[in-house]
Amino acid sequence: MIIQKSDNLRISTFDPENFSFGNTFVDHMVICEFENGKWGEPKIVPYGPLGFSPAMMGINYGQACFEGMKAYKDKDGDVFLFRPEKNFARINKSASRLAMPEVTEEMFMDGIKTLVDMERAWIPHGEGLSLYIRPLIFATEEILKARISEKYMFAVVATPAKSYYTEPVSVKIAEYYSRSANGGVGFAKAAGNYAAAFHPTRLAMEEGYDQIVWTDDSTHQYLEESGTMNVFVRINDTIYTPPISEKILDGVTRDSFIQLAQSLQMNVQVEPISVDVVMEAQKNGTLREMWGVGTAVVTTVFKSFGFQNEKYDLPELSDEDSYALTIKNKLTSIQSNLCEDPFGWRLKVEKNN
Amino acid sequence: MIIQKSDNLRISTFDPENFSFGNTFVDHMVICEFENGKWGEPKIVPYGPLGFSPAMMGINYGQACFEGMKAYKDKDGDVFLFRPEKNFARINKSASRLAMPEVTEEMFMDGIKTLVDMERAWIPHGEGLSLYIRPLIFATEEILKARISEKYMFAVVATPAKSYYTEPVSVKIAEYYSRSANGGVGFAKAAGNYAAAFHPTRLAMEEGYDQIVWTDDSTHQYLEESGTMNVFVRINDTIYTPPISEKILDGVTRDSFIQLAQSLQMNVQVEPISVDVVMEAQKNGTLREMWGVGTAVVTTVFKSFGFQNEKYDLPELSDEDSYALTIKNKLTSIQSNLCEDPFGWRLKVEKNN
């Protein structure tokens, strides 16, 4: 790993009490270039612009995928990643589906650990605070041919992240738009999947919703995801979440929720959930909770959902009665080193820099 | 329009007899930036790299769409665009679906006309030669939030293009993979649609095919497109092509083929084509031709197609007997100003620079 330290560090201007999430970038980033069939040497360089022309394949043909992960600082100032090996495995699944080269475990893990170690001063400490880490791979060849690129960049950029507390949201069950196709790329964190969701989401917002619960594009009968999160439904005391598939992202938070629910003796069914079943439970009063999970906010509780021009309220449960919040609290305690880690999910970032 | 001429023109090194398509860029490009809710002044600047960080939204969340169009030079050196108003309309359809701002007709048309006029020395003259023009819009804001970007760039880059002659190809009818979903973005020239097709296409190539005939993702029973082209089937003396829809691109070449076929008194049916109908025609000997159409190659004739692990040969027809080649020859004659233009499709690029 080549390290080119910035001559113009911005860390002294960083106020952990008052910063903008998403566009406050830590001083450095990881970059690594793929050319002639192989990855070069990874580098840590000052965060900033690189030279790309508008003919860059990544923005013309969409060969681009990413990961989202976080580093957490505990009361002693130690820093932990959360299940980073899951992100490593997934970025390569995304890359393969988009005909992009896989990254090596060494460049992925060492790049992230070195960057996080160097930038630990940028990681705010406190409930729900973290460093959001964005590894990505994108095609950099400059050529106007709709074929697989021969040049790529792997990069890791990072931004301090605020408390993930979000107000309960109102969601709309999709009846026309969809985010994935059978035989498509819905399971991948492909750049194009996100852009495709923005317009339908904006329309739902204009109707007073916060996000869309995506359903299968063939029948709009089966729940897939919610916004950019995996979705859970609780009917009576059983939690349901759809199985991962080519259309549904294999979320790290989703998997952690399932394992934690089981360890808490909750009944979890990983099986397709139909809109009919949700509506029946709504009608007979057994629909207790619905929520989304993802790295960014951990959990978003749904306060209501819309279906066929009707809006239905969900019960307001206390933190203790809510399965969603019970599991979330357990998960965030593990992430922030506030409790034991029986699953071995935390990975301490050693101090080397 | 602001024009910043290059101090380092490369045109003197351009050999129209020997160049590489797609990565030989003309000396200048058009760029225009969108910020604070509006487009700025378009500029013509030297072609080359601009500064973008890996946090650029276009490569993270896929808000990026493009157009493909050509300029043709006739024997007198006059230069013509072909139905550019169709590309203008379509880039805005793509942009809207991806929650991106529409471009104005003025910036789109003036940008292209000014660039083509300035770069007319880069346009090779001769059968099938042209200048390939790539307008695109992409999100440029640098922020790690999966939401609509607030900054964009419109750009136009261009590369000289060689003869569009291609050998007849062998295609595989998709039975597992798909390129579009109901309620998705298949009709848009969205960057992500192309990347999603690369891996399935590579697998088809490994089986000895050149491209994939995409079918609907729900049943794989209805033909959608072929590779990056619209698809046509001739059974007996009737031409069939699927109607445009949310899943099928509204191709300029497709529309021109339909109008030309009608003007040539051919019978054209714009209706869904099922694999069953194609297979039945194959079995009873009435399947005469299949072909794809698009701006890049105008027409690609299919010599065979694969379905359920069987490969079926299509008849080899002479240029006169082939509807595909008859229409193609008529179309390319209009494009290159070798004949009358009864439809008013050509647009002469005036000399101003």
Side-chain angles (χ1 to χ4, degrees):
Chain A
M1 178 114 47
I2 298 160
I3 298 184
Q4 295 171 2
K5 285 209 179 169
S6 171
D7 295 331
N8 184 23
L9 294 177
R10 291 172 281 102
I11 181 65
S12 62
T13 67
F14 173 59
D15 178 359
E17 306 288 318
N18 184 23
F19 65 92
S20 167
F21 168 71
N23 56 1
T24 300
F25 295 99
V26 303
D27 280 305
H28 299 86
M29 61 184 175
V30 180
I31 58 171
C32 186
E33 291 181 82
F34 181 94
E35 208 169 347
N36 301 318
K38 62 179 196 299
W39 290 105
E41 173 92 3
K43 290 181 208 172
I44 300 250
V45 299
Y47 173 82
L50 303 170
F52 299 117
S53 101
M56 177 172 67
M57 293 190 79
I59 50 171
N60 282 270
Y61 303 117
Q63 276 189 293
C65 64
F66 69 90
E67 277 301 316
M69 48 202 295
K70 284 181 170 176
Y72 306 87
K73 186 179 272 179
D74 73 6
K75 63 179 172 21
D76 301 321
D78 285 331
V79 172
F80 300 88
L81 297 171
F82 183 75
R83 308 185 76 185
E85 71 285 356
K86 295 277 286 179
N87 301 95
F88 167 66
R90 193 171 59 187
I91 200 170
N92 279 342
K93 275 190 202 158
S94 298
S96 293
R97 181 59 183 83
L98 299 175
M100 301 166 79
E102 296 190 1
V103 294
T104 67
E105 185 161 4
E106 189 187 357
M107 63 192 268
F108 185 89
M109 296 300 292
D110 287 0
I112 289 166
K113 284 192 272 188
T114 307
L115 182 70
V116 170
D117 182 27
M118 282 176 67
E119 306 291 13
R120 54 179 68 230
W122 286 93
I123 310 176
H125 165 64
E127 194 185 337
L129 301 176
S130 62
L131 181 73
Y132 180 84
I133 303 162
R134 167 62 53 86
L136 71 157
I137 312 173
F138 56 100
T140 55
E141 190 180 356
E142 293 176 9
I143 190 163
L144 303 178
K145 280 184 179 176
R147 54 107 171 118
I148 296 171
S149 177
E150 295 178 356
K151 296 181 187 177
Y152 298 87
M153 178 170 282
F154 168 68
V156 185
V157 295
T159 175
K162 298 195 178 189
S163 169
Y164 33 59
Y165 177 75
T166 54
E167 292 286 337
V169 299
S170 186
V171 298
K172 179 190 164 93
I173 296 179
E175 293 162 60
Y176 172 73
Y177 287 108
S178 66
R179 71 170 286 285
S180 66
N182 299 302
V185 300
F187 70 94
K189 284 189 86 76
N193 289 345
Y194 294 81
F198 290 167
H199 173 68
T201 302
R202 180 165 61 185
L203 294 179
M205 286 175 171
E206 286 167 9
E207 291 180 67
Y209 297 100
D210 300 290
Q211 57 182 239
I212 292 178
V213 173
W214 301 103
T215 50
D216 69 288
D217 80 305
S218 301
T219 68
H220 292 296
Q221 187 49 225
Y222 292 95
L223 308 193
E224 291 183 344
E225 300 186 13
S226 183
T228 59
M229 303 185 293
N230 290 111
V231 65
F232 286 75
V233 175
R234 174 182 169 193
I235 296 174
N236 283 319
D237 287 339
T238 299
I239 298 171
Y240 297 87
T241 193
I244 57 169
S245 72
E246 65 187 331
K247 303 175 77 176
I248 297 179
L249 191 80
D250 182 5
V252 180
T253 311
R254 171 190 176 278
D255 182 75
S256 305
F257 255 69
I258 293 170
Q259 291 195 49
L260 281 170
Q262 287 165 339
S263 78
L264 293 165
Q265 313 300 327
M266 294 168 178
N267 186 17
V268 187
Q269 297 292 329
V270 178
E271 59 183 51
I273 313 165
S274 72
V275 179
D276 285 350
V277 163
V278 171
M279 288 308 299
E280 194 187 317
Q282 160 66 26
K283 285 192 183 99
N284 67 26
T286 56
L287 182 62
R288 301 273 286 156
E289 294 181 76
M290 292 175 70
W291 68 91
V293 305
T295 294
V297 293
V298 186
T299 305
T300 299
V301 170
F302 301 167
K303 65 181 177 194
S304 59
F305 69 93
F307 179 62
Q308 290 181 343
N309 300 318
E310 287 286 334
K311 205 163 184 172
Y312 302 91
D313 287 330
L314 286 158
E316 274 185 64
L317 302 183
S318 67
D319 276 30
E320 290 69 37
D321 288 340
S322 163
Y323 281 8
L325 297 176
T326 300
I327 302 169
K328 175 188 178 179
N329 291 337
K330 185 72 194 158
L331 177 58
T332 57
S333 294
I334 293 175
Q335 287 172 330
S336 301
N337 194 23
L338 292 170
C339 69
E340 287 298 298
D341 175 20
F343 303 96
W345 285 340
R346 284 192 300 259
L347 179 71
K348 187 173 170 180
V349 178
E350 299 299 336
K351 286 186 192 171
N352 289 314
N353 287 283
Chain B
M1 179 116 47
I2 297 161
I3 298 184
Q4 296 171 1
K5 285 209 180 171
S6 170
D7 296 330
N8 184 23
L9 294 177
R10 290 171 283 103
I11 181 65
S12 62
T13 67
F14 173 58
D15 177 0
E17 305 287 317
N18 183 24
F19 65 92
S20 168
F21 168 70
N23 56 0
T24 301
F25 295 100
V26 303
D27 279 306
H28 299 85
M29 61 183 177
V30 179
I31 59 171
C32 186
E33 291 180 81
F34 182 95
E35 208 170 347
N36 300 320
K38 62 180 197 297
W39 289 105
E41 174 92 2
K43 291 181 205 171
I44 300 250
V45 299
Y47 173 82
L50 304 169
F52 298 117
S53 100
M56 177 172 68
M57 294 190 79
I59 50 170
N60 282 269
Y61 303 115
Q63 276 189 293
C65 64
F66 68 90
E67 277 300 317
M69 48 202 295
K70 285 181 170 176
Y72 306 87
K73 186 179 272 178
D74 74 4
K75 63 178 173 22
D76 301 322
D78 285 331
V79 172
F80 299 89
L81 296 171
F82 183 75
R83 309 186 75 184
E85 72 285 356
K86 296 276 286 178
N87 300 96
F88 166 66
R90 192 172 59 187
I91 200 169
N92 279 342
K93 276 190 201 161
S94 298
S96 293
R97 180 58 182 83
L98 299 174
M100 302 166 78
E102 296 190 1
V103 294
T104 67
E105 184 160 6
E106 187 186 0
M107 63 191 267
F108 185 89
M109 296 299 292
D110 287 359
I112 289 167
K113 284 192 271 187
T114 306
L115 182 70
V116 169
D117 181 28
M118 280 175 69
E119 305 292 12
R120 54 178 69 230
W122 285 94
I123 309 176
H125 166 64
E127 195 184 336
L129 300 175
S130 62
L131 182 73
Y132 180 84
I133 302 161
R134 167 63 53 88
L136 70 158
I137 311 173
F138 56 99
T140 55
E141 189 179 357
E142 293 178 9
I143 190 164
L144 303 179
K145 280 184 180 177
R147 55 111 171 113
I148 296 170
S149 177
E150 294 178 355
K151 297 180 186 178
Y152 297 88
M153 178 171 281
F154 167 68
V156 185
V157 294
T159 175
K162 298 194 177 188
S163 168
Y164 32 60
Y165 176 76
T166 54
E167 293 286 338
V169 298
S170 185
V171 298
K172 178 190 166 94
I173 296 179
E175 292 162 60
Y176 172 72
Y177 288 108
S178 65
R179 72 170 284 286
S180 66
N182 299 302
V185 300
F187 70 93
K189 282 189 87 76
N193 289 344
Y194 294 80
F198 289 167
H199 173 68
T201 302
R202 180 165 62 184
L203 294 179
M205 285 176 172
E206 286 168 8
E207 291 180 66
Y209 297 100
D210 300 290
Q211 58 181 238
I212 292 178
V213 174
W214 301 102
T215 50
D216 70 288
D217 81 305
S218 302
T219 68
H220 292 296
Q221 186 50 225
Y222 291 95
L223 308 192
E224 291 184 344
E225 299 188 12
S226 184
T228 57
M229 303 185 294
N230 290 112
V231 65
F232 285 75
V233 175
R234 174 183 169 193
I235 296 173
N236 283 320
D237 287 339
T238 300
I239 298 170
Y240 297 86
T241 194
I244 56 169
S245 72
E246 65 186 331
K247 303 175 76 175
I248 297 179
L249 191 80
D250 183 5
V252 180
T253 312
R254 172 189 175 280
D255 183 76
S256 305
F257 255 69
I258 293 168
Q259 291 195 49
L260 280 169
Q262 287 165 338
S263 78
L264 293 164
Q265 313 299 325
M266 294 168 179
N267 185 16
V268 187
Q269 297 292 329
V270 178
E271 59 183 51
I273 313 165
S274 73
V275 179
D276 285 350
V277 163
V278 171
M279 287 307 300
E280 192 186 317
Q282 160 65 26
K283 286 192 184 100
N284 67 26
T286 57
L287 183 62
R288 301 273 287 155
E289 294 180 76
M290 292 175 71
W291 68 92
V293 306
T295 294
V297 294
V298 186
T299 305
T300 298
V301 169
F302 301 168
K303 66 181 177 193
S304 61
F305 69 93
F307 179 62
Q308 290 181 343
N309 299 317
E310 288 285 333
K311 204 163 184 172
Y312 303 91
D313 287 329
L314 287 157
E316 275 185 63
L317 302 183
S318 68
D319 276 31
E320 290 69 37
D321 288 340
S322 164
Y323 281 8
L325 298 176
T326 300
I327 302 168
K328 175 190 180 177
N329 291 336
K330 185 73 193 159
L331 178 58
T332 57
S333 295
I334 293 174
Q335 287 172 329
S336 301
N337 194 23
L338 292 169
C339 69
E340 287 298 299
D341 174 22
F343 303 95
W345 285 340
R346 284 192 301 259
L347 179 71
K348 188 172 170 180
V349 178
E350 300 299 337
K351 286 185 194 173
N352 289 316
N353 287 283

